[in-house]
Amino acid sequence: MVKKLLMGNEAFAHAALEAGVNVVAGYPGTPSSELVETVAKLHAAGAAQDVHVEWSTNEKAALEMLAGASYCGARVLFTCKQVGLNVASDALMSLNYVGTGGGCVLFVADDPGPISSQTEQDTRRFGSFAKVPVLDPATPEQGFAMMKAAFDLSERYHTPVIVRPTTRINHASTFFEVAEETHGRPLPEGGFQKDPKWVIFPKRAYEGHGEINRRLAQIAWDYAHDPAFAQFNEVFEGGGEGETIGVVQNGVEGAGASAPAVGIVAGGVSAAYAREALSLIEAQASRAGIPVPRYRFMAVGTPYPFPAETAAVFAEGLTDVIVFEELDSVLEEEMLKLAGARHLPLRVHGKLTGEANDRGENTTENIAGRLGRFFDRTRTVGSIPSRAAGGTSTCSNKSSLSEKIGSELYPIFSESAESAREEVPPAARCSSEAEGAGSLAALVASIIGANNLGYDGPLPVRPPVLCAGCPHRGSFYAVKQALRGREAVLCGDIGCYTLGNAQPLDAVDTCLCMGAGITMAQGFAVAEPYKKQVAFVGDSTFFASAMTGIANAVYNGHDVTFAILDNATTAMTGSQPHPGTGVTLMGERRRPIVIEEVLHGLGVQHIGFANPHSLESSVAAARAAIDFEGPSAIIFRAPCIQLKKPDAPVTIDADTCTGCKKCITSIGCPGIGFDEGLRGPKSGGRGQAFVDTSLCDGCGLCTQVCSFNAIQGAVGFGGAVPAEPAIYAPNPDPFQTGPIPRVLTDEMNDFQETEIVGEPNETPGEVLGAAEGVPVAERIVHSEGPTGPLAGLPLSEEGGVR
């Protein structure tokens, strides 16, 4: 064993490897991506033996591949973020009915905030919907233990199991003792055993549903009683120092000062926040001589199926419970169900009562403030009975101190005093006189307020923006220029290029989910045929979820243009490879899947190419594709700036710059700024543009935008040497019918488009062979330039890929 400082995702990878995982697959998505990358690094270094790891084309492909391996008895691990589970849901729903062989764990990272996602959906809800057990770690250390336990649970009941960390767990770092070398668990002898149970006919599904319902009840019992899982549902008591309060315990009043009347339930990372908040409250209350009510705490690490037996023991004798969780009211609703089913005199507070965040992340400070108010409202002070004591509370005509403080210092809870009164239920606003001098809420607010730096000015705005030199900027600008004078709808997609919606580019009108822009554009084409529809999609997303939509456009003849932004990587989530790169996580290089070949195979009859850093040719290529009637495509191909060395930054000639700001208002590159204090012979007192040399990548787009040639530099587009022409030769298909498309190229590979030639009875190979006078084998896609689809691959003497 060796001690290492690991990010949460890295630790999860080590835990899975130590559990003997055999196959790991997923699709990149923040905050989950580092797990797969860690497994790949350990495998490449020889530390992780007997494991296969891959980035799959999308989440559905990953889970289905893993299901097959699981049927053979392999332990498998699936990874994605919360929206990725939507893509895999078709496979997951049926897989749970059929059952699994080897342990099948789904590592699904939720993103409260959301920090880098389209939604804040709660995977605990998905687990309940799919009837799949869920584990929800409060710390990276607990997640490490849960990962190992999840494989055991999966094999015990032949069910998929979800481990659901959230962003702060995924990206927190701490020290772990991990194995220096791991080995995949040996597969059972005999491998896959043929059995009718693996085929999900209606009868099998009916039987499987019964199996699911029975095992969920058994798993809930395990969560409460099996030490391997009960450890994740900790219950303890605290508070009450120096306090003499009346409580109701087992229906008998005055059971003792140590008997708590209030409880706190927390799940996931919120349990860690709540424990820290309680420590803060108790420490400061002790110094101030303010009593903290006795409380009972339950940290729920197994939210589904809910450990009702543990919760029932926790709730015994309590009158009020507050629940903290991210993101939905899952645990709160379970506590309400428990109270109703067992007729408990329990009031449950949380999201549904406006006493906990209804969205976004929780924090220690926010929970501390809410706990202070909760304690004030439910405790007994002196002779005034509180609701916690089973009596009635007095309601002051003036606003309570905690309410005032809450409205001023807890904007997440309420943005104004009035909205605070609206969010807090009337019953909660009628609190006891405990909210006066001995108020815990006031104490907590004063502590948190003391840590406030007190800056009242506006914070600097830092909107998300495409990187300086990003090839997508030129692609968006070229399409907008090609569309001048035409009504159009520009459909976007998920990736860096979503940022094309920002001014001044203003080139993304819609963005729904991965691949949706491709098919949404077709809907716009049907409803508003007088407008031109353009759908932007990245190269990774093209393979993940765009091809089906393109097939639909060809099949139904929709007049749309697909702008494919090929920067040779999955840039947004950390520059992971994809099928178009030919690079795999197992260290092998294969012939890349060429986007234009796929488009031709799907029947797209016009495909143009452009280097987006070359403005004139990009506009021409975009215009040709847009003018084509029917489905068409334009591939903008240039590498992400993270994949290449920057070229020399451009310079601005102060004697030529007129201060017109076109370089700024046209493309919005962060590498160009404007100084109103600069003066020049052409700019007068208007100020002048300047280049931030620390950001400029030397792409040269701005040199082509400037109307006065005031920006100089950038020899070669984007620092890339012009590549040899890429000659497209589709594979001969004896069943090809209809006109055959052929790709023509110019000398600089900056602009290519298709031309329809050939007869219906000729194969593509025959047509191209006759046109070029050379055998097809010598004209397989071949480009040695830095952006070519086969860049760096060894070529045979015949021109093919080894």
Side-chain angles (χ1 to χ4, degrees):
M1 302 294 286
V2 60
K3 191 171 187 178
K4 289 186 177 181
L5 177 64
L6 299 175
M7 179 193 294
N9 282 342
E10 295 173 322
F12 287 126
H14 280 272
L17 290 168
E18 291 182 18
V21 68
N22 302 104
V23 189
V24 181
Y27 186 80
T30 304
S32 71
S33 302
E34 294 86 359
L35 190 156
V36 168
E37 293 170 343
T38 301
V39 173
K41 290 177 182 177
L42 292 171
H43 174 266
Q49 301 286 327
D50 311 314
V51 62
H52 172 88
V53 56
E54 69 175 49
W55 284 126
S56 300
T57 306
N58 65 14
E59 294 87 352
K60 176 177 166 65
L63 185 54
E64 290 166 350
M65 185 275 288
L66 293 171
S70 174
Y71 288 3
C72 299
R75 283 194 162 185
V76 300
L77 176 62
F78 167 86
T79 75
C80 71
K81 65 188 299 178
Q82 83 279 13
V83 288
L85 189 57
N86 300 338
V87 181
S89 61
D90 189 21
L92 176 61
M93 299 298 292
S94 296
L95 179 61
N96 195 31
Y97 273 60
V98 172
T100 60
C104 179
V105 176
L106 283 70
F107 178 84
V108 184
D110 280 7
D111 186 23
I115 298 172
S116 60
S117 306
Q118 308 98 286
T119 72
E120 282 193 307
Q121 69 189 57
D122 192 326
T123 297
R124 296 176 302 165
R125 291 279 196 211
F126 211 115
S128 175
F129 170 60
K131 297 190 174 182
V132 172
V134 180
L135 302 176
D136 189 13
T139 64
E141 295 92 335
Q142 189 180 63
F144 189 92
M146 282 182 175
M147 180 66 80
K148 295 182 177 181
F151 282 103
D152 294 333
L153 181 65
S154 175
E155 289 177 350
R156 181 183 298 182
Y157 293 105
H158 302 288
T159 177
V161 175
I162 294 173
V163 176
R164 178 253 188 188
T166 52
T167 304
R168 304 303 175 182
I169 300 298
N170 294 103
H171 291 164
S173 296
T174 187
F175 286 95
F176 290 87
E177 293 279 348
V178 295
E180 296 186 58
E181 183 176 301
T182 61
H183 293 268
R185 193 183 62 167
L187 299 185
E189 293 184 7
F192 174 64
Q193 301 295 314
K194 294 186 178 183
D195 191 300
K197 70 179 183 180
W198 302 121
V199 182
I200 192 167
F201 281 120
K203 182 177 184 296
R204 174 70 190 104
Y206 182 80
E207 295 171 347
H209 197 180
E211 294 168 5
I212 290 171
N213 293 335
R214 288 189 293 273
R215 71 182 175 229
L216 285 175
Q218 294 171 328
I219 291 171
W221 191 93
D222 286 348
Y223 281 173
H225 300 289
D226 187 332
F229 301 100
Q231 63 172 320
F232 303 133
N233 298 312
E234 184 182 5
V235 178
F236 64 88
E237 294 185 0
E241 289 82 354
E243 185 164 68
T244 55
I245 60 173
V247 297
V248 177
Q249 180 79 6
N250 295 328
V252 179
E253 187 171 350
S258 63
V262 297
I264 302 154
V265 176
V269 72
S270 297
Y273 295 151
R275 296 180 76 152
E276 186 175 356
L278 287 167
S279 297
L280 170 70
I281 292 172
E282 291 175 335
Q284 298 301 325
S286 177
R287 294 190 184 97
I290 299 176
V292 175
R294 191 75 180 162
Y295 62 82
R296 190 175 296 145
F297 188 100
M298 181 169 70
V300 181
T302 63
Y304 184 80
F306 187 66
E309 296 299 324
T310 301
V313 174
F314 159 81
E316 186 176 354
L318 302 183
T319 60
D320 289 84
V321 169
I322 190 167
V323 183
F324 298 108
E325 54 189 321
E326 298 173 344
L327 289 150
D328 290 346
S329 53
V330 173
L331 301 181
E332 184 178 357
E333 292 171 29
E334 291 292 347
M335 292 303 298
L336 286 168
K337 286 165 58 178
L338 179 73
R342 307 206 178 195
H343 306 289
L344 303 177
L346 187 68
R347 284 174 288 270
V348 181
H349 310 253
K351 297 175 184 291
L352 300 179
T353 63
E355 295 168 81
N357 285 344
D358 67 341
R359 61 194 180 279
E361 296 184 285
N362 288 321
T363 65
T364 297
E365 293 80 8
N366 185 274
I367 289 179
R370 295 179 185 279
L371 280 175
R373 291 191 288 274
F374 173 71
F375 285 148
D376 284 348
R377 290 167 182 151
T378 55
R379 69 177 175 170
T380 300
V381 175
S383 61
I384 301 176
S386 74
R387 290 168 298 165
T392 58
S393 63
T394 60
C395 187
S396 173
N397 292 326
K398 60 183 179 179
S399 298
S400 70
L401 179 59
S402 65
E403 190 172 315
K404 291 179 180 178
I405 293 172
S407 64
E408 294 172 3
L409 295 181
Y410 294 95
I412 294 177
F413 177 67
S414 57
E415 296 182 358
S416 66
E418 186 59 32
S419 63
R421 292 192 63 82
E422 292 174 357
E423 289 191 25
V424 178
R429 291 203 296 266
C430 294
S431 54
S432 71
E433 291 182 2
E435 292 188 354
S439 168
L440 287 172
L443 175 66
V444 173
S446 66
I447 296 166
I448 297 174
N451 294 329
N452 190 343
L453 296 179
Y455 177 71
D456 296 325
L459 294 173
V461 177
R462 187 182 182 275
V465 64
L466 293 171
C467 299
C470 176
H472 301 335
R473 181 174 286 105
S475 304
F476 287 126
Y477 187 70
V479 169
K480 291 292 290 287
Q481 294 299 303
L483 284 167
R484 292 182 68 175
R486 300 182 63 170
E487 282 192 276
V489 178
L490 306 177
C491 296
D493 216 297
I494 302 301
C496 295
Y497 46 92
T498 308
L499 301 176
N501 75 311
Q503 297 291 347
L505 293 173
D506 190 24
V508 172
D509 298 321
T510 71
C511 182
L512 183 63
C513 60
M514 287 191 70
I518 296 290
T519 31
M520 288 182 67
Q522 299 166 45
F524 283 113
V526 170
E528 298 180 342
Y530 54 90
K531 296 180 181 178
K532 183 63 186 183
Q533 282 72 34
V534 179
F536 294 98
V537 67
D539 46 343
S540 181
T541 304
F542 173 86
F543 294 108
S545 54
M547 293 183 288
T548 301
I550 293 172
N552 188 74
V554 173
Y555 174 55
N556 290 288
H558 294 298
D559 184 19
V560 294
T561 295
F562 309 119
I564 300 167
L565 312 180
D566 183 3
N567 63 356
T569 189
T570 312
M572 188 180 192
T573 53
S575 300
Q576 292 85 5
H578 59 68
T581 67
V583 178
T584 70
L585 290 182
M586 294 298 288
E588 301 165 330
R589 287 185 66 98
R590 292 187 172 85
R591 181 186 188 276
I593 300 177
V594 184
I595 292 174
E596 48 267 39
E597 287 185 344
V598 175
L599 290 170
H600 274 286
L602 290 173
V604 177
Q605 298 294 295
H606 179 106
I607 304 172
F609 297 79
N611 181 334
H613 297 304
S614 176
L615 181 57
E616 183 178 354
S617 61
S618 291
V619 174
R623 186 176 292 120
I626 289 168
D627 289 343
F628 183 85
E629 293 186 8
S632 62
I634 167 68
I635 301 175
F636 292 102
R637 182 167 283 152
C640 173
I641 66 167
Q642 302 296 328
L643 303 182
K644 67 179 188 64
K645 293 181 179 179
D647 201 3
V650 300
T651 60
I652 295 180
D653 184 354
D655 293 333
T656 309
C657 179
T658 65
C660 69
K661 296 184 180 179
K662 184 180 179 181
C663 56
I664 295 173
T665 59
S666 295
I667 58 176
C669 178
I672 303 177
F674 194 83
D675 188 342
E676 296 180 352
L678 293 178
R679 299 291 182 267
K682 297 289 184 66
S683 61
R686 288 190 297 270
Q688 290 187 327
F690 67 89
V691 174
D692 185 339
T693 57
S694 67
L695 294 177
C696 180
D697 189 70
C699 73
L701 182 63
C702 57
T703 67
Q704 302 161 77
V705 169
C706 179
S707 302
F708 302 97
N709 297 319
I711 308 178
Q712 303 165 352
V715 178
F717 300 124
V721 178
E724 295 179 5
I727 301 173
Y728 171 68
N731 293 324
D733 182 357
F735 303 104
Q736 174 83 34
T737 61
I740 298 168
R742 171 186 166 200
V743 176
L744 299 180
T745 72
D746 74 348
E747 294 180 355
M748 296 298 293
N749 196 31
D750 282 329
F751 175 39
Q752 303 170 339
E753 60 180 287
T754 61
E755 182 178 275
I756 307 303
V757 297
E759 299 298 328
N761 62 345
E762 292 183 298
T763 68
E766 291 171 339
V767 173
L768 291 172
E772 304 291 339
V774 292
V776 174
E778 295 182 12
R779 288 176 288 97
I780 296 176
V781 178
H782 176 193
S783 174
E784 296 179 353
T787 62
L790 302 185
L793 290 185
L795 300 174
S796 67
E797 294 179 358
E798 293 77 22
V801 180
R802 292 197 188 106

